[in-house]
Amino acid sequence: MKTYIRTLLILSLVLVAGAFGGCTKYNLVELNGPEVAHNTTMWQYFESDPYNWSLTMQMIDRAGLRIVFEGKSEFGPKITFFGITNASIERYILQQQIDNQIPDFSLESITPEECRDIILSCIVPGKAVLLDDWKSGTPSTNVETIIGTGGEKVTMASGKELWIYTYRAPYNGVKEKGPKKIHLVSELTGHSAVVASHNITSLTGVVHALEYNFTIFDFTKAPETFEDSEYTDYPEYTDAPEGSDSTYL
């Protein structure tokens, strides 16, 4: 039965991906286009792009945090949000339904307290920090620590700390010729994340959309069963949030 359900899911997701165009073996492509500015609040921007943000909005509402994205909260009129997209949330839900055999698992199965911690751990309060405003750094090569050199440690709205830095990976064997991206590291959980689309600006701050393989608890805790998961056939999203430098195929 599990194999049958998984097969149906894979087939349906392939059809959806095909409807939006062909995919390549690469996850990202550099656009180098103009920055995307929205003359709306961040919340209104999310509403304009339900394909990428509808589940994110549901999680925000479940956490009681909509006013943060409307610029009306204690965290200030502007914030920096490392955005968790629909794909990350849907992937976690599917994982619980299939791998952990909890068929009724949904977004409502994640408590409001967990939703609040997840969202606030992705917010830099009080300021909109663009890609070029972050300090450069170098990933750790020391197996005893996940923190590398450069960058800066930032206290997020949840009170948790992330090490955030920009880095240009090698391209075709040439150092520092790849796209410049923001990297985030949680010393607390041992997880790291990379931004896919940068500098999505609004009247109440800036969104840096995280890559679709981000797991929603990466900055707060490690779900007991996540790293042991066998299920890898997750949604192939083909339309990334608009950004200045990268998107998905």
Side-chain angles (χ1 to χ4, degrees):
M1 183 64 178
K2 179 178 177 181
T3 301
Y4 176 73
I5 293 174
R6 184 179 298 186
T7 301
L8 286 178
L9 278 170
I10 295 171
L11 288 173
S12 63
L13 293 172
V14 168
L15 289 173
V16 169
F20 288 96
C23 296
T24 73
K25 64 180 179 178
Y26 299 105
N27 198 26
L28 301 171
V29 61
E30 186 77 1
L31 289 181
N32 291 322
E35 294 185 355
V36 178
H38 296 270
N39 193 33
T40 65
T41 66
M42 195 178 296
W43 185 260
Q44 290 170 325
Y45 156 63
F46 293 153
E47 289 181 320
S48 74
D49 185 9
Y51 180 83
N52 284 296
W53 303 110
S54 61
L55 292 177
T56 311
M57 288 190 292
Q58 289 180 41
M59 179 173 281
I60 291 169
D61 271 340
R62 187 159 174 75
L65 294 172
R66 183 188 294 204
I67 60 172
V68 176
F69 299 86
E70 295 174 333
K72 302 174 182 178
S73 78
E74 62 185 292
F75 299 112
K78 290 192 175 184
I79 62 169
T80 300
F81 180 50
F82 292 101
I84 306 169
T85 60
N86 285 351
S88 291
I89 299 170
E90 185 168 311
R91 182 164 62 95
Y92 180 76
I93 291 171
L94 283 174
Q95 217 158 26
Q96 303 309 306
Q97 291 174 344
I98 296 174
D99 282 357
N100 295 338
Q101 299 182 1
I102 311 173
D104 296 330
F105 194 93
S106 67
L107 184 57
E108 286 67 36
S109 303
I110 306 171
T111 70
E113 293 76 17
E114 288 176 321
C115 289
R116 183 178 179 85
D117 198 25
I118 290 166
I119 296 298
L120 290 181
S121 293
C122 293
I123 291 175
V124 179
K127 55 186 176 181
V129 188
L130 300 177
L131 170 63
D132 288 339
D133 295 328
W134 291 102
K135 297 177 182 178
S136 63
T138 304
S140 173
T141 57
N142 186 341
V143 295
E144 296 182 357
T145 178
I146 196 171
I147 305 299
T149 59
E152 59 187 301
K153 289 188 176 180
V154 179
T155 300
M156 311 303 283
S158 65
K160 293 181 171 62
E161 193 174 75
L162 296 179
W163 176 49
I164 304 177
Y165 65 100
T166 60
Y167 178 69
R168 289 185 181 273
Y171 180 74
N172 284 343
V174 181
K175 290 184 178 180
E176 299 183 356
K177 291 301 181 181
K180 184 180 183 180
K181 295 181 182 179
I182 299 173
H183 295 247
L184 307 97
V185 177
S186 170
E187 194 170 16
L188 173 68
T189 67
H191 289 294
S192 60
V194 181
V195 169
S197 295
H198 301 81
N199 293 357
I200 307 169
T201 61
S202 73
L203 298 178
T204 55
V206 61
V207 180
H208 301 296
L210 296 170
E211 288 189 350
Y212 291 155
N213 61 4
F214 178 78
T215 301
I216 62 174
F217 285 101
D218 275 358
F219 296 156
T220 59
K221 65 178 182 180
E224 293 179 0
T225 58
F226 184 81
E227 291 187 353
D228 296 327
S229 171
E230 295 178 355
Y231 186 65
T232 57
D233 299 302
Y234 300 116
E236 285 282 352
Y237 278 67
T238 56
D239 292 340
E242 292 180 289
S244 65
D245 54 76
S246 56
T247 186
Y248 288 80
L249 288 176

